[in-house]
Amino acid sequence: MAQRETWATRTGFILAAVGSAVGLGNIWRFPFLVGQEGGAAFLVVYLLFVALIGFPAMLVEFVVGRRTNRNPVGALKELGGGVWQYLGWVFAATGFIILSYYSVVGGWVLRYVLIGLQGGYVGDIEGAGGQFVEAASGLDAVLGHAIFMAAVIAIVGFGIRRGIEFAVQVMVPAIILIAFGLAVYAFTLPGASEAYAFYLSPDVGEILANWTDILPAAAGQAFFTLSLGMGAMITYASYIGDDRNLAEDGLIIVGLDTLIAFTAGLIVFPIFFTGGVDPANTIGAGAIFISLAAALGDLSFGWLIGTVFFGTIAIAALSSAISLLEVVVSYLIDERGMERFTATAIVGTIIFVVGIPTALDLVFIDLYDLFANNILLVFGGLMVSIFVGWVISNVALDEIGRGVRNLGSWGDVWIWLVRIPVIVILFVTIYLGVFEYYEFLTGDFADWLGQNL
């Protein structure tokens, strides 16, 4: 077998992992969830979830990937065997499903960059809604989906160093610089103070009253934005050396990802409030594209700000999408001996076909997204946490200690975080997620079926 690729530098790995984490989840999904779940109340729960659950869970995936130098399917087969080997397929399936609609949303973003360049953002909700429906469904959406997916295939096809690592070294610094610049601009808007009150002043009573809604949303968002439960971090960690400090790298990755998500709120909500848009009404996949576009239409130079903003989302979406495709491609390379570009083209084409329904009707976005984020992501995280925390804990502690001068008792702290609070909270979260998905299937989706069949 040919020698397996590795990252050229530590910076390359960190930027790739940050690029995987920083994507549509931070800038498209995060703001509408904050608005939907009560503003600062959701933000507090989300930040706690990232720190107490997301970071330990990321180290779990790092351990599995680096220990085996394999894709998720091969890694779980090597470490666990038996029934555990099938867990790798859950990761692969999750990434596959997410990328199928993620690429469609990436196509929407590309369309909105063009709309901005043409000065075409509509300054009212009704008009912006019509503009979004036109852009987000039908042949135009399929075309955008195809263009975005082709870009992902091209980058992954060139490999780890010449494709993914080279691309993220350009994309991730650009995302960070542009996001900070837009946040400074948003600070100058008339609605900034009202926006910050909504976004940064949590109501504890609201958290306690609505925790059954906030918890699964925060968990799904944390796992989505950190690229957990989909095999991306297992895959990326499989390309790094034994001398790396996984905890240190993980802290940098989680910190940068969370900072950018937080910054996205500092950008979006001042624009909402300045444009007279109520964030609580910006619910669903089209929130940013309808509500934000309507607010931008009322701003001076809104077309320019919108072009830069949606351009940033496009870069972030691409940096995440390449990690999702790499999960499945790495399986075909490692386990089936397939040549990289052939594997990339085949998988990318299949994912494109699976995503076509979400480009034709928006109901399929919710069908795919709720299933992948509220159930599959959390289930994958739950099962791999049980496996690492209780089945191979000695192996995990040995692996987490590599590259660390003095691990001390921190390894035991980490493993017990994984064994009890991480597993308990993920179990509760998946229970709530399944219940929410059932409500969707028997509610909105059943109504859609009744109208279209």
Side-chain angles (χ1 to χ4, degrees), residues 64-381:
V64 171
R66 189 174 70 173
R67 187 73 175 191
T68 59
N69 298 128
R70 281 290 178 269
N71 61 88
V73 176
L76 272 299
K77 183 178 180 180
E78 179 178 324
L79 283 176
V83 70
W84 291 108
Q85 64 183 307
Y86 300 110
L87 178 58
W89 288 107
V90 175
F91 288 117
T94 303
F96 189 98
I97 293 171
I98 289 176
L99 184 54
S100 70
Y101 69 84
Y102 197 99
S103 176
V104 173
V105 180
W108 300 350
V109 176
L110 296 177
R111 176 69 180 272
Y112 269 72
V113 173
L114 292 177
I115 291 173
L117 289 173
Q118 296 166 353
Y121 296 123
V122 178
D124 64 88
I125 292 291
E126 184 177 350
Q131 189 177 57
F132 172 69
V133 170
E134 181 181 347
S137 58
L139 293 180
D140 284 349
V142 174
L143 177 61
H145 174 35
I147 293 171
F148 185 87
M149 200 67 224
V152 177
I153 291 171
I155 293 173
V156 174
F158 275 107
I160 297 301
R161 295 190 180 189
R162 293 187 303 136
I164 297 173
E165 187 166 357
F166 177 78
V168 297
Q169 286 176 338
V170 175
M171 291 189 289
V172 174
I175 294 167
I176 295 171
L177 289 174
I178 297 171
F180 286 170
L182 287 172
V184 171
Y185 163 78
F187 176 76
T188 67
L189 295 175
S193 59
E194 189 178 0
Y196 297 152
F198 169 79
Y199 185 46
L200 303 176
S201 299
D203 182 345
V204 176
E206 186 170 358
I207 297 174
L208 296 176
N210 300 307
W211 72 271
T212 56
D213 292 325
I214 294 175
L215 180 60
Q221 174 61 19
F223 268 62
F224 186 98
T225 191
L226 292 175
S227 291
L228 300 176
M230 60 184 77
M233 291 305 172
I234 292 177
T235 305
Y236 274 7
S238 74
Y239 297 117
I240 64 178
D242 291 341
D243 59 336
R244 304 287 177 82
N245 186 325
L246 296 179
E248 187 177 278
D249 289 356
L251 279 173
I252 295 171
I253 293 162
V254 170
L256 284 174
D257 173 74
T258 305
L259 177 63
I260 293 173
F262 178 76
T263 303
L266 297 178
I267 297 168
V268 170
F269 293 114
I271 295 175
F272 277 163
F273 280 93
T274 300
V277 173
D278 181 2
N281 293 327
T282 59
I283 298 175
I288 291 298
F289 300 96
I290 299 173
S291 304
L292 186 70
L296 287 167
D298 286 333
L299 294 181
S300 300
F301 300 104
W303 67 271
L304 177 59
I305 299 302
T307 301
V308 174
F309 179 77
F310 286 111
T312 306
I313 300 179
I315 298 170
L318 192 57
S319 70
S320 289
I322 58 180
S323 70
L324 296 176
L325 184 56
E326 179 64 21
V327 171
V328 186
V329 168
S330 65
Y331 164 76
L332 294 177
I333 294 172
D334 291 345
E335 311 301 323
R336 301 300 178 189
M338 194 175 290
E339 189 270 331
R340 170 171 283 274
F341 197 82
T342 301
T344 305
I346 291 173
V347 174
T349 301
I350 295 172
I351 289 174
F352 167 74
V353 172
V354 171
I356 288 176
T358 65
L360 296 177
D361 197 303
L362 292 173
V363 73
F364 288 100
I365 291 282
D366 288 331
L367 182 70
Y368 287 23
D369 184 57
L370 287 173
F371 179 61
N373 282 282
N374 289 17
I375 299 175
L376 286 182
L377 279 181
V378 183
F379 177 75

Side-chain angles (χ1 to χ4, degrees), residues 52-74:
L52 300 178
I53 307 300
F55 174 63
M58 177 174 283
L59 295 185
V60 165
E61 297 202 15
F62 280 177
V63 162
V64 171
R66 189 174 70 173
R67 187 73 175 191
T68 59
N69 298 128
R70 281 290 178 269
N71 61 88
V73 176

